[in-house]
Amino acid sequence: MSLKAGIVGLPNVGKSTLFNAITKAGALAANYPFATIEPNVGVVTVPDKRLDFLKELYVPKKVVPTTFEFTDIAGLVKGASTGEGLGNKFLSHIREVDAIVEVVRCFEDSEITHVEGKIDPIRDMEIINTELILADLEIVESRISKIEKKATTTKEKEALLELNALNRCKEALLKGEPLRRLDFNKDELAVLAGFNFITMKKIIYAANVNEEDAIAGTNDYIKQVEEYANKEGSKVIIMCAKLEEELSGYADEERKAFMEDLGLNASGLDQLIKATYDLLGLKTFLTAGPDECRAWTFKNGMSAPQCAGIIHTDFQKGFIKAEVMSYSDLEALGSEKAVQEAGKLRLEGKDYVMQDGDICYFRFNVTK
């Protein structure tokens, strides 16, 4: 599954530095607005210790982790929704992602300019969120003006449903409320899906701090961000983008030792990747054998045939059964044979809902 998260924020808050750390791609990180004009795209692996265990057990020819795509979108400024700072172009990039990571500057540094003159995370968050709201409002109002007369005149069920859903959106947006805070029913979600509203996307706030505060885990700015995020049920990840970029240059063992010296249990990046993965309701199933051990991303609630289709469409079309064992059973018992002897290797049919950590072998038959 191709999944994308977009990194947004005001200019010079640490977006590109964070992107560099995530992807090790060396994106331009400069101390002036709009250093990023075209979005940088990089693929990051989702940390999963289960693959390390499978690698030792099966000694496969290759190991393939599941991945996540991060897009570094150029810095937004006040007025972006009306075209300020090439805003409309940047906003179009945000519409293409599945989730948003909003980087918020929570550190003081006189050598790094701030586009608004001083550090104020709540103001910064409100600037970004207001521009995203205004961008959605423009689309909502434009669509309402096109369908309102038809819907009210013809009373067509689908047209009325769309109009009512859009009016709900308009009412919320005019109050400065992002659409993700609204509870839409299944029919409303279906008619709104094609608009790809930015404020309907789920969001994580990445509080970018200095090294000392990353180790301490808090500062006064972070507390403000957390209070703001709690109001809409969003998560905050605390990280020092500069430190994460430095850590990304080390080999695994060196990075682990350096983090231990700093007193960090997990890197901010690992936390961000996992939080973004969880935010979208994503899980992982695994396939394992001497040729390949691989992690596959699926959405929570998907059936065994749907997950089989992630590997290959023929697997879903000709699905017969799935041989399934849980990773926890394999780890505890030490081998496939032991899992089978313990009666924990299962045959699951078309109605089986895949669970995180399931290790699967799909039986299928496609007749031509």
Side-chain angles (χ1 to χ4, degrees), residues 338-356:
V339 171
Q340 188 171 10
E341 289 174 349
K344 294 183 179 292
L345 181 65
R346 316 183 307 274
L347 278 180
E348 302 288 0
K350 293 182 178 180
D351 295 331
Y352 177 68
V353 177
M354 197 72 76
Q355 301 298 307
D356 185 65

Side-chain angles (χ1 to χ4, degrees), residues 12 16 28-33 35:
N12 301 339
S16 294
L28 174 65
N31 183 25
Y32 55 91

Side-chain angles (χ1 to χ4, degrees), residues 271-309:
Q271 294 179 60
L272 177 62
I273 293 164
K274 185 179 185 305
T276 309
Y277 199 72
D278 292 344
L279 182 73
L280 293 172
L282 304 178
K283 305 289 184 183
T284 302
F285 75 88
L286 304 145
T287 51
D291 289 328
E292 178 184 271
C293 290
R294 183 165 184 160
W296 303 85
T297 299
F298 71 99
K299 290 195 173 182
N300 193 31
M302 288 179 71
S303 66
Q306 288 174 318
C307 287

Side-chain angles (χ1 to χ4, degrees), residues 109-120:
D109 189 331
S110 59
E111 293 184 3
I112 300 178
T113 60
H114 192 291
V115 71
E116 290 294 322
K118 66 175 184 176
I119 310 303
D120 184 341

Side-chain angles (χ1 to χ4, degrees), residues 16-178:
S16 294
T17 304
L18 173 60
F19 179 83
N20 290 347
I22 288 175
T23 63
K24 302 178 185 177
L28 174 65
N31 183 25
Y32 55 91
F34 315 121
T36 309
I37 296 176
E38 292 300 325
N40 296 300
V41 178
V43 176
V44 62
T45 60
V46 178
D48 196 332
K49 293 181 180 178
R50 294 172 295 192
L51 279 178
D52 297 332
F53 175 82
L54 295 178
K55 180 180 178 181
E56 288 189 13
L57 185 64
Y58 288 95
V59 194
K61 294 175 183 176
K62 63 178 178 177
V63 176
V64 184
T66 189
T67 59
F68 207 101
E69 188 175 292
F70 278 87
T71 302
D72 175 26
I73 295 163
L76 295 172
V77 293
K78 192 181 293 182
S81 58
T82 57
E84 283 295 320
L86 303 179
N88 285 328
K89 184 176 183 179
F90 301 162
L91 289 166
S92 70
H93 296 315
I94 303 173
R95 294 195 186 280
E96 297 169 7
V97 303
D98 301 299
I100 296 170
V101 176
E102 184 172 327
V103 181
V104 185
R105 181 168 166 179
C106 294
F107 66 91
E108 299 276 0
D109 189 331
S110 59
E111 293 184 3
I112 300 178
T113 60
H114 192 291
V115 71
E116 290 294 322
K118 66 175 184 176
I119 310 303
D120 184 341
I122 300 303
R123 177 209 56 213
D124 293 357
M125 295 163 79
E126 289 181 344
I127 287 173
I128 295 295
N129 293 342
T130 296
E131 294 306 321
L132 302 185
I133 284 169
L134 291 173
D136 279 351
L137 182 61
E138 182 181 0
I139 290 175
V140 168
E141 290 180 331
S142 174
R143 181 59 180 168
I144 287 175
S145 68
K146 290 179 181 177
I147 67 163
E148 189 169 25
K149 186 176 181 180
K150 176 187 175 183
T152 54
T153 302
T154 65
K155 305 295 183 183
E156 288 181 8
K157 184 179 178 181
E158 288 187 7
L160 284 171
L161 174 64
E162 181 180 352
L163 179 61
N164 290 334
L166 288 170
N167 277 325
R168 282 193 67 197
C169 293
K170 180 180 177 179
E171 183 180 353
L173 293 169
L174 285 171
K175 292 178 182 176
E177 193 174 352

